[in-house]
């Protein structure tokens, strides 16, 4: 009985520790398109990033509208730098993966691979007050061109 109580207590502690390590990131973040930069443009018409706890990890989802229409992507992972599959609509011909890493309480990174090749790096930093997040990304296109964007998000 004592060992079952100890195990249960340890699990609660581990879950609380896991949730605490990304507490600032949890929630819905709306992109402020007017304050963001997209090189080359144009950027999306709208975009919402969601970060939510799932078990001992989290789910990241992105919904937006660009020149081609609405899009959605999501992946469930941990801050362990292990590639996880990305589900997207409209469906993509290539295979995308995300690998998440936590830099500190305010900062997390995503490495995005396309068919196993590192193509996009995203560096997200949440402000001290937890109300805004700045996402800086660089990508290599299929043609080998480098693109970049700085997206400013506001917590909803």
């Amino acid at each position: 009985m004592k060992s079952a109580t100890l195990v249960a207590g340890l699990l609660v502690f581990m879950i609380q520790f896991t949730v605490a390590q990304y507490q600032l990131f949890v929630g819905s973040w709306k992109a402020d398109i007017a304050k963001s930069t997209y090189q080359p443009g144009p950027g999306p018409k709208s975009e919402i990033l969601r970060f939510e706890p799932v078990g001992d990890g989290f789910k990241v989802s992105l919904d937006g509208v660009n020149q081609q229409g609405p899009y959605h992507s999501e992946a469930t992972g941990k801050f362990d730098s292990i590639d996880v599959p990305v589900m997207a609509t409209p469906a993509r011909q290539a295979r995308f993966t995300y690998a998440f890493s936590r830099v500190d309480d305010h900062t997390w990174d995503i490495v995005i691979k396309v068919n196993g090749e590192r193509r996009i790096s995203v560096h997200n930093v949440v402000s001290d007050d937890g109300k805004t997040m700045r996402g800086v990304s660089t990508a290599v296109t299929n043609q080998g061109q480098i693109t970049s964007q700085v997206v400013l998000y506001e917590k909803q």
Side-chain angles (χ1 to χ4, degrees), residues 29-155:
W29 300 86
K30 183 178 180 181
D32 186 333
I33 304 300
K35 292 181 181 176
S36 301
T37 59
Y38 302 87
Q39 300 291 331
K45 296 175 183 179
S46 66
E47 193 169 81
I48 301 232
L49 175 69
R50 289 179 186 84
F51 191 105
E52 59 189 284
V54 174
D56 65 344
F58 52 84
K59 179 170 94 173
V60 172
S61 59
L62 185 67
D63 290 284
V65 177
N66 60 20
Q67 289 63 38
Q68 291 79 38
Y71 57 88
H72 171 82
S73 65
E74 64 183 60
T76 301
K78 299 178 184 179
F79 289 133
D80 57 9
S81 299
I82 294 176
D83 292 343
V84 295
V86 177
M87 307 307 239
T89 54
R92 300 172 177 163
Q93 293 179 347
R95 185 178 57 86
F96 280 68
T97 60
Y98 292 167
F100 303 101
S101 61
R102 179 179 171 272
V103 177
D104 59 37
D105 290 345
H106 292 264
T107 312
W108 57 294
D109 293 336
I110 309 171
V111 171
I112 303 171
K113 293 180 181 174
V114 179
N115 294 329
E117 181 182 339
R118 184 181 179 140
R119 297 294 286 278
I120 304 169
S121 297
V122 184
H123 183 74
N124 298 297
V125 179
V126 177
S127 63
D128 287 339
D129 64 9
K131 295 180 180 180
T132 61
M133 179 169 58
R134 182 175 186 248
V136 178
S137 65
T138 55
V140 178
T141 67
N142 291 337
Q143 296 75 32
Q145 297 172 318
I146 296 176
T147 65
S148 65
Q149 62 185 31
V150 176
V151 182
L152 300 176
Y153 293 96
E154 295 177 356
K155 192 147 194 187

